[in-house]
Amino acid sequence: MNFKGRELLLALSYMHQGEWKEMYEDIYQHRPLSQEEIDEAKRNITTPYVTILDEDYPEPLKQSYYPPFLLYYYGNLDLLKKKYRLTAIGTRTPTLYQSDTSYSLLKEVEEHFHNDLVILSGMAKGIDQSCMRAAMDQNAPAVSILGSGIDNPYPKQNTGVYDYCKKEGLILSEYPLDSRPKPEHFVFRNRLLATLSMVVYCGGGKNRSGSMSTVQKAIEAGREICCLPCNVTGDDMTNSLIKDGASSILCASDLIEVLESRYGI
């Protein structure tokens, strides 16, 4: 482990509030850091963190676009080594059918895997919330990846999900302390959701949305896309994705089959 390198990355993260491009520019330009700058970061940030230099850095992220230089976390980082992991994404304004069906599907899938399936989400309203609630009601592991500071859960109405993941699962963020959420952070964050699982479940979303950006990144990374079919009269990407080759999820066994096929029984 390169302790000096870790401290330098921490200092850069603290100085730039986790902004990847600014950190990269300083690294590329070999910007020197003073011991005072390093000490200030160490003094102000007490959150556990993992860097790209560490042995326990999540392996899938090394192959992602713009791999994070540093991730802050609370909880059990080893959950990212679990055999079965599922990224759950979808619209923030689901229909009752979409939210209830996503909840029921994932709850049944968790039961099949004896509550050992790790569900990852961006902790947004809507489908994310429904899928995380399925994990929580089963006392199953859940991972939330934030687009805000590690100590600033967003949206506030999902503080319960944040607290559960912090205690029973895992919270991840590239952004330190209480960094405020920015719209571009959420789209950038989606590359992590797309990469950390081999299977992505989409419970609904518009064709131009954050969910679609996650799907596009997941397809580029060779991940399996599974979709809940939607009403054909609306602007929803899931039917289009199914038409283009995504797996149609009509019941829990469909999702179980994809997970077992992709990860191996």
Side-chain angles (χ1 to χ4, degrees), residues 22-260:
E22 283 79 357
M23 292 178 67
Y24 173 80
E25 188 65 26
D26 276 359
I27 294 169
Y28 182 76
Q29 297 292 341
H30 300 285
R31 178 190 183 280
L33 291 174
S34 68
Q35 189 60 48
E36 289 76 13
E37 290 172 316
I38 295 172
D39 289 343
E40 182 182 2
K42 292 168 63 178
R43 183 170 58 251
N44 286 285
I45 295 181
T46 59
T47 313
Y49 65 94
V50 61
T51 79
I52 198 168
L53 303 174
D54 299 332
E55 292 182 2
D56 53 350
Y57 183 85
E59 190 65 30
L61 293 183
K62 293 178 181 178
Q63 283 77 49
S64 71
Y65 287 111
Y66 306 112
F69 297 114
L70 182 150
L71 285 167
Y72 300 96
Y73 70 93
Y74 289 122
N76 183 6
L77 198 62
D78 285 340
L79 288 180
L80 300 180
K81 299 177 183 177
K82 283 274 193 178
K83 181 175 182 180
Y84 293 105
R85 303 185 305 278
L86 174 70
T87 292
I89 62 172
T91 176
R92 289 175 170 78
T93 56
T95 63
L96 186 62
Y97 153 73
Q98 289 172 322
S99 60
D100 284 0
T101 303
S102 293
Y103 171 84
S104 299
L105 282 171
L106 266 66
K107 194 169 185 291
E108 190 173 340
V109 172
E110 280 289 5
E111 291 172 352
H112 173 83
F113 288 108
H114 306 290
N115 301 337
D116 205 36
L117 170 69
V118 179
I119 297 177
L120 300 90
S121 87
M123 211 182 81
K125 296 186 294 183
I127 295 298
D128 286 24
Q129 190 175 26
S130 297
C131 294
M132 296 303 261
R133 188 161 52 86
M136 293 164 65
D137 287 351
Q138 290 294 120
N139 293 317
V143 178
S144 288
I145 306 177
L146 307 183
S148 54
I150 189 72
D151 295 316
N152 184 20
Y154 180 88
K156 295 300 183 184
Q157 69 189 71
N158 273 349
T159 301
V161 176
Y162 176 89
D163 291 341
Y164 178 87
C165 291
K166 190 173 181 178
K167 182 179 179 181
E168 305 291 342
L170 178 66
I171 300 286
L172 290 173
S173 178
E174 293 179 78
Y175 308 104
L177 305 172
D178 59 352
S179 302
R180 65 183 182 88
K182 298 179 182 179
E184 61 268 24
H185 286 174
F186 296 101
V187 176
F188 195 57
R189 178 273 316 275
N190 289 347
R191 77 199 193 285
L192 310 184
L193 288 168
T195 307
L196 284 171
S197 300
M198 295 301 295
V199 181
V200 175
Y201 167 81
C202 181
K206 293 184 178 181
N207 284 288
R208 298 186 65 180
S209 64
S211 295
M212 180 56 89
S213 77
T214 305
V215 167
Q216 290 171 337
K217 290 177 175 65
I219 291 173
E220 291 167 2
R223 280 18 181 187
E224 188 84 19
I225 309 299
C226 302
C227 295
L228 179 69
C230 70
N231 189 323
V232 297
T233 62
D235 175 20
D236 197 293
M237 66 186 188
T238 54
N239 287 348
S240 299
L241 289 169
I242 291 169
K243 185 177 180 181
D244 290 340
S247 298
S248 176
I249 304 301
L250 303 179
C251 59
S253 60
D254 289 338
L255 190 50
I256 291 167
E257 182 179 347
V258 173
L259 286 163
E260 291 183 338

